[in-house]
Amino acid sequence: MYNVKSKIATEFIDDQEIRETLAYAKENKNNRELISSLIERAKDCKGLTHREAAVLLECDLEDENEKMYKLAKEIKQKFYGNRIVMFAPLYLSNYCVNGCVYCPYHYKNKHIARKKLTQEEIRKETIALQDMGHKRLALEAGEDPVNNPIEYILESIKTIYSIKHKNGEIRRVNVNIAATTVENYKKLKDAGIGTYILFQETYNKKSYEELHPTGPKHDYAYHTEAMDRAMEAGIDDVGIGVLFGLNMYKYDFVGLLMHAEHLEAAMGVGPHTISVPRIRPADDIDPDNFSNAISEEIFEKIVAVLRIAVPYTGMIVSTRESQKTRERILELGVSQISGGSSTSVGGYVEKETDEDNSAQFEVNDNRTLDEIVNWLLKLGYIPSFCTACYREGRTGDRFMSLVKSGQIANCCQPNALMTLKEYLEDYASGETKENGETVIAKEVEKIPNEKVKTIVKEHLVDMKKGKRDFRF
Ligand code: SF4
Ligand code: SF4
């Protein structure tokens, strides 16, 4: 029985509720009156329910879809302005005891090189990332209690935060590791992590169990209830997502929104971020097995409707997607992207050969961070290396109330400009620097609060003189 506040996975992600939602959306397919009224109401930026969002996703009336895209762009602009937050993944270890059929790290794969970084290697990877200009990382590791115990993850976080190379530092470490206990989540919280990220992969229990035939991840309830445990342990910011292409995308789309509604209803705060990965080719994985792969068109629609349904939740896209796709979905709602990424263990220091491949998936956007920053600048965005909120204690419901009231934009814009300036001073190529300075000069004048504008201008001068790390 569906119960949004229940702590039991099959009750807050109730299969029958998802099926009824999909049936309702089908019944109302192209119901112009309903669709128009939902789009109209969504203009208040208070979001939509999973049922309402499913009706929008189902619609194939071209003019109504155009209205949705337009609204998604407006919401994106209102809540996030034109800043795009940058991050990079850091793979610590690809040892894994699970049997996920879509991931090359599954334990049966014998032709992938297994690697686990030592603390010295982590130090080198971190320096390589700092030298690119990154300030925000997402740690990735397979599930393996012997090779990757929680103590290893905690030690690695400590190592990363301790390294200050030249003007570089990693200011926010987000963590994407397997579902674990409340006790371990408390340890992660104490280690000062930013967001805890865990993808559901699919919300369909039956498919989930088939896709995860062995290992601890097979337990659907334990995995699905992980965010409740993380929040119970005091982690305020959690990031959810599904791997589009594993199951029927409409089912997972509804499940994703029900999960967000559940976290808000039961834990008081919705997810901090939603990621929208699509399945990619990888070693020992046959993409033809995944007949549910979604087209560009559907992918764009998913992003746009998510933006409308949960306006206050950041949306992330990785280098799984091509430059072209990223360009389109940045417009429609994505607020955070990775850049210059390696999806291999140790891949920032040593480029891997085909024989020595340990990548989790093939990257579709191989540009350097500098190329991506320059590309964003040319598109009119402000690439941002901001990590201010969590360092200022703006997490959980405190953060959400600032986002919902639209006030966060007063921090994002100046922080984006100041962190971009740091990047330009320390890491940018000539052309990127030139383009960046032009964007800063133009954008700084748009800061509405005169006092803030004056402070930012002063800090920009301070940074030219070598000072670093200013934030609101
Ligand atoms: Fe292991 Fe995660 Fe890959 Fe599954 S998806 S095999 S848990 S690394
Ligand atoms: Fe993100 Fe907060 Fe920085 Fe805005 S001010 S970019 S919400 S960390």
Side-chain angles (χ1 to χ4, degrees):
M1 173 76 108
Y2 178 48
N3 178 358
V4 69
K5 284 195 173 174
S6 168
K7 294 296 186 80
I8 299 167
T10 47
E11 290 182 0
F12 66 80
I13 306 289
D14 177 52
D15 177 67
Q16 198 184 335
E17 172 60 22
I18 299 183
R19 289 182 194 283
E20 283 175 11
T21 298
L22 295 176
Y24 172 77
K26 215 165 188 181
E27 270 164 40
N28 286 289
K29 188 179 182 79
N30 300 341
N31 176 340
R32 193 179 286 281
E33 204 183 323
L34 176 63
I35 292 161
S36 286
S37 72
L38 290 174
I39 296 174
E40 213 37 55
R41 184 154 58 69
K43 288 183 182 164
D44 69 2
C45 297
K46 294 208 163 64
L48 294 174
T49 66
H50 60 273
R51 279 208 178 201
E52 294 166 338
V55 171
L56 296 192
L57 190 68
E58 187 67 37
C59 166
D60 56 18
L61 298 170
E62 228 169 88
D63 54 336
E64 297 297 338
N65 281 341
E66 278 313 314
K67 280 197 230 163
M68 285 177 222
Y69 290 132
K70 187 167 170 279
L71 177 59
K73 285 183 201 172
E74 284 166 12
I75 291 175
K76 160 91 198 284
Q77 193 56 34
K78 179 173 173 193
F79 283 91
Y80 303 90
N82 51 357
R83 59 92 176 152
I84 302 291
V85 171
M86 310 299 305
F87 78 100
L90 172 54
Y91 283 76
L92 295 180
S93 165
N94 61 5
Y95 283 92
C96 192
V97 297
N98 286 310
C100 315
V101 304
Y102 51 85
C103 174
Y105 293 176
H106 67 79
Y107 76 103
K108 280 191 194 152
N109 186 357
K110 299 292 177 220
H111 23 93
I112 196 162
R114 297 287 169 177
K115 290 186 191 166
K116 172 189 170 182
L117 298 180
T118 63
Q119 296 306 310
E120 181 51 25
E121 286 167 332
I122 292 172
R123 204 179 72 78
K124 288 184 181 151
E125 288 282 292
T126 306
I127 289 173
L129 283 156
Q130 288 182 4
D131 283 348
M132 286 159 72
H134 278 295
K135 301 281 187 276
R136 176 188 287 247
L137 300 185
L139 285 198
E140 314 274 343
E143 179 167 16
D144 186 328
V146 174
N147 285 298
N148 317 330
I150 191 74
E151 291 72 24
Y152 169 68
I153 306 290
L154 297 171
E155 194 188 355
S156 306
I157 295 169
K158 210 168 161 190
T159 301
I160 294 164
Y161 276 137
S162 72
I163 294 159
K164 311 255 189 284
H165 185 249
K166 298 182 182 163
N167 280 336
E169 63 178 334
I170 299 301
R171 298 173 182 159
R172 178 175 178 131
V173 177
N174 297 333
V175 173
N176 181 357
I177 59 164
T180 185
T181 59
V182 173
E183 202 191 4
N184 284 346
Y185 285 129
K186 280 190 181 145
K187 291 178 185 167
L188 287 172
K189 157 98 184 154
D190 292 344
I193 68 162
T195 310
Y196 171 64
I197 304 158
L198 183 69
F199 299 155
Q200 179 63 31
E201 322 296 8
T202 176
Y203 285 95
N204 184 302
K205 185 168 182 288
K206 190 168 166 285
S207 307
Y208 180 95
E209 287 165 354
E210 286 164 9
L211 291 160
H212 308 98
T214 53
K217 195 167 169 180
H218 178 72
D219 188 337
Y220 175 84
Y222 191 72
H223 189 84
T224 312
E225 293 159 10
M227 292 314 191
D228 294 65
R229 292 195 299 281
M231 290 179 117
E232 194 186 320
I235 296 178
D236 286 331
D237 295 340
V238 298
I240 61 175
V242 291
L243 187 49
F244 284 109
L246 288 182
N247 189 39
M248 296 302 290
Y249 71 92
K250 291 178 191 171
Y251 190 104
D252 282 331
F253 173 86
V254 174
L256 194 59
L257 288 175
M258 283 168 69
H259 199 176
E261 288 165 4
H262 161 71
L263 293 174
E264 181 144 13
M267 308 307 292
V269 192
H272 191 69
T273 51
I274 289 181
S275 296
V276 287
R278 273 194 296 183
I279 197 147
R280 290 282 301 141
D283 179 73
D284 204 37
I285 302 298
D286 181 359
D288 292 342
N289 290 340
F290 304 108
S291 52
N292 299 312
I294 55 171
S295 66
E296 292 295 309
E297 207 185 350
I298 291 170
F299 190 50
E300 288 172 10
K301 183 85 183 281
I302 288 172
V303 171
V305 183
L306 281 175
R307 184 66 303 145
I308 295 170
V310 280
Y312 43 83
T313 303
M315 232 192 289
I316 302 179
V317 73
S318 74
T319 52
R320 281 173 188 266
E321 297 300 336
S322 67
Q323 172 177 343
K324 190 165 157 266
T325 303
R326 300 218 293 173
E327 190 163 327
R328 174 73 175 141
I329 59 178
L330 276 173
E331 254 194 312
L332 295 175
V334 165
S335 52
Q336 206 180 122
I337 64 170
S338 50
S341 303
S342 164
T343 60
S344 307
V345 182
Y348 291 109
V349 172
E350 246 171 77
K351 217 170 160 30
E352 300 211 319
T353 60
D354 282 349
E355 294 75 51
D356 188 26
N357 185 14
S358 70
Q360 193 186 26
F361 58 87
E362 277 179 24
V363 167
N364 218 338
D365 185 343
N366 283 301
R367 290 171 299 165
T368 63
L369 181 61
D370 189 71
E371 286 168 336
I372 290 182
V373 168
N374 200 16
W375 164 70
L376 288 172
L377 288 166
K378 286 197 225 156
L379 290 174
Y381 293 109
I382 310 171
S384 172
F385 295 86
C386 177
T387 53
C389 280
Y390 121 98
R391 298 168 79 212
E392 290 293 321
R394 292 192 297 259
T395 59
D397 50 0
R398 201 171 152 226
F399 174 80
M400 277 302 167
S401 62
L402 286 170
V403 179
K404 286 181 182 176
S405 66
Q407 285 181 56
I408 198 71
N410 299 329
C411 295
C412 295
Q413 168 89 345
N415 285 338
L417 294 174
M418 292 191 296
T419 55
L420 173 61
K421 175 70 176 170
E422 275 190 317
Y423 176 83
L424 299 181
E425 287 296 322
D426 292 336
Y427 309 104
S429 66
E431 189 192 331
T432 305
K433 189 160 182 184
E434 205 175 300
N435 290 333
E437 293 292 358
T438 309
V439 166
I440 291 174
K442 194 173 92 195
E443 294 288 332
V444 79
E445 296 303 332
K446 293 187 193 161
I447 296 175
N449 182 314
E450 285 303 321
K451 207 169 144 203
V452 173
K453 192 192 290 183
T454 306
I455 295 172
V456 171
K457 284 183 175 174
E458 283 167 11
H459 288 337
L460 290 172
V461 175
D462 290 340
M463 279 188 269
K464 188 99 197 128
K465 293 181 192 153
K467 288 199 186 152
R468 295 291 178 268
D469 199 12
F470 295 105
R471 61 179 183 266
F472 286 96

